Amino acid sequence: MRIGELASHAGITTKALRYYEERGLLDAPRRTNGYRDYDESHLRVVQEIQTLQEIGFALEDTRPFVDCLRAGHEEGDACPDSVAVYRRKIAEVEAYLKQLAVVRDELRAKLDAAIGKRHGTTGEN
């Protein structure tokens, strides 16, 4: 299939596909007329990239998953490098959740103090 068909099947633009190609995530052989020739495996790669980006992965983070698919695996997360990215991303999310918990606690303390001031109770005797 040609790039327009792949874009249509994947629900993205041809510009995005060309960008994936520039970044080395999508490769397609060219026909003698210069057109790229895509198949179902390319659609699977694009879908994998989209799925990962929808859950917050940066484009570069998708590379091990793409490489895994290119190596012939049914799933992009069947390879050790993909699992390592999952672990790293989970650690990043957990660190961010800890930061958010600190912010939440600070906000609660400020809210409690503000409510105390409105009602004339500052917590002091």
Side-chain angles (χ1 to χ4, degrees):
M1 74 182 93
R2 291 182 45 194
I3 194 167
E5 294 171 280
L6 178 61
S8 178
H9 287 300
I12 63 173
T13 65
T14 57
K15 184 177 180 179
L17 293 174
R18 287 186 184 103
Y19 183 69
Y20 294 167
E21 198 169 66
E22 287 173 19
R23 303 291 301 167
L25 293 168
L26 190 63
D27 62 341
R30 292 194 181 258
R31 298 178 186 171
T32 56
N33 62 8
Y35 291 120
R36 295 170 187 89
D37 191 21
Y38 298 97
D39 60 27
E40 291 299 317
S41 69
H42 295 101
L43 178 59
R44 178 68 185 100
V45 165
V46 172
Q47 290 169 333
E48 184 80 5
I49 292 169
Q50 290 175 302
T51 298
L52 293 168
Q53 286 193 302
E54 286 170 4
I55 60 172
F57 280 54
L59 186 59
E60 191 57 34
D61 289 331
T62 68
R63 188 172 303 280
F65 298 85
V66 169
D67 291 344
C68 193
L69 287 172
R70 283 186 185 157
H73 295 277
E74 288 289 319
E75 300 295 329
D77 59 5
C79 299
D81 289 345
S82 303
V83 172
V85 173
Y86 277 151
R87 286 188 174 122
R88 182 177 50 81
K89 293 302 283 183
I90 289 169
E92 288 173 9
V93 168
E94 287 174 349
Y96 188 60
L97 288 172
K98 286 179 184 176
Q99 291 174 342
L100 287 175
V102 169
V103 171
R104 179 198 60 214
D105 293 346
E106 289 175 8
L107 287 170
R108 283 183 177 158
K110 290 192 176 292
L111 175 62
D112 290 346
I115 290 172
K117 289 175 193 173
R118 278 187 66 205
H119 295 342
T121 59
T122 59
E124 298 174 343
N125 291 336

